[in-house]
Amino acid sequence: MKKSILIAIIAVFTISFAFAQKSVTNTYRFPSKGKAIINYSVPTANWNISDENNLLSLIPKDSGETSRLITMIWASENPYAEDAMTVIVNDAFDVVETLLKDITWKEDMNTFENNGISYTALDGYGYYVNEDGSKDRMTTSIMILIPDETNILALLFFATDQAYDKWEKELLEIILSIKPAK
C-alpha cells in the first residue's frame, strides 16, 4: 500500500514538473542593452532567443523541417528621420528578397492594434533555394510595429509550411505579447 502511494506521489510530481517546464514563459526586453523599446514573452522551453547587435532572433528548439522558422525584430536606426518609415520598410523587403525567390504577396495588408502597439502586416510566400538548387516553399510576413510616438520596429519571419503549422500558435502568442517598454 505504501509503495502504491509513493509511486502515485512521484508520478504526480513528475507530471507536474514536466508540465511546469513546458509552460514557463519569461519576459524579455528589446533591445536588451540600453533603453528598451518593447517587452515580450517567450516560452523558453521551446524557443532560442538571440539579441545581438540590436537584432532580435527567435528560433524554435526543434529539428528537421519543423525547425525551419526564424523571426527577426529590429528597430529603426534613426526614428526621427523624415524617411524613417520608408527606410525600415525597404530594409525589411530587402531581407526577404535576399533570402527568398519568386515571392508572392497577398494583396491586402492587415492593420491592427494590440497592447497599445499599432501593427501593419503583409503576408506572402516565396521559395528558399537550397545549396543543391532545390527549392523549399516558405511562408513569410513583414510587420511594422509602432510601439510609441517615436520608435518603429520591423518584425519578419520565414517558415517552411511544416514549421509554420507546428509553431504558428506559439509565434502568434509571442507577437501578441509585445508591449511598449515603460
Side-chain angles (χ1 to χ4, degrees):
M1 176 81 166
K2 289 181 184 180
K3 195 175 192 180
S4 299
I5 294 173
L6 181 60
I7 289 172
I9 291 171
I10 290 172
V12 168
F13 280 118
T14 303
I15 291 168
S16 297
F17 181 73
F19 180 74
Q21 288 288 52
K22 290 181 181 178
S23 64
V24 171
T25 300
N26 292 321
T27 300
Y28 299 89
R29 53 190 225 128
F30 175 79
S32 60
K33 295 178 183 158
K35 185 177 180 193
I37 300 170
I38 58 170
N39 295 322
Y40 61 97
S41 299
V42 177
T44 52
N46 297 335
W47 294 84
N48 290 311
I49 303 166
S50 172
D51 181 359
E52 296 179 15
N53 301 320
N54 292 324
L55 175 65
L56 172 63
S57 299
L58 301 163
I59 301 170
K61 294 179 181 177
D62 209 344
S63 61
E65 284 301 308
T66 56
S67 71
R68 296 182 62 194
L69 181 151
I70 184 167
T71 303
M72 296 179 270
I73 300 175
W74 68 90
S76 171
E77 290 181 16
N78 186 2
Y80 296 102
E82 265 186 50
D83 64 346
M85 182 66 75
T86 301
V87 169
I88 200 163
V89 168
N90 287 339
D91 287 348
F93 276 98
D94 287 348
V95 170
V96 173
E97 291 168 356
T98 298
L99 296 174
L100 301 181
K101 304 299 176 214
D102 302 323
I103 302 165
T104 301
W105 295 104
K106 289 189 176 177
E107 290 186 27
D108 297 326
M109 285 191 281
N110 297 312
T111 57
F112 61 97
E113 188 170 315
N114 186 63
N115 294 327
I117 296 177
S118 296
Y119 291 77
T120 300
L122 183 62
D123 301 324
Y125 68 91
Y127 296 88
Y128 179 80
V129 180
N130 298 299
E131 289 180 12
D132 66 1
S134 63
K135 294 180 180 179
D136 293 326
R137 179 185 147 108
M138 297 193 94
T139 297
T140 188
S141 281
I142 294 176
M143 295 184 188
I144 301 301
L145 289 66
I146 302 175
D148 54 40
E149 306 81 36
T150 305
N151 293 292
I152 306 168
L153 302 172
L155 181 154
L156 58 92
F157 73 84
F158 305 92
T160 61
D161 291 340
Q162 296 91 336
Y164 190 67
D165 289 346
K166 180 173 182 178
W167 297 106
E168 175 186 17
K169 183 179 176 193
E170 277 191 23
L171 178 60
L172 183 58
E173 288 172 2
I174 293 168
I175 292 169
L176 293 178
S177 78
I178 298 172
K179 296 178 182 171
K182 296 187 182 199

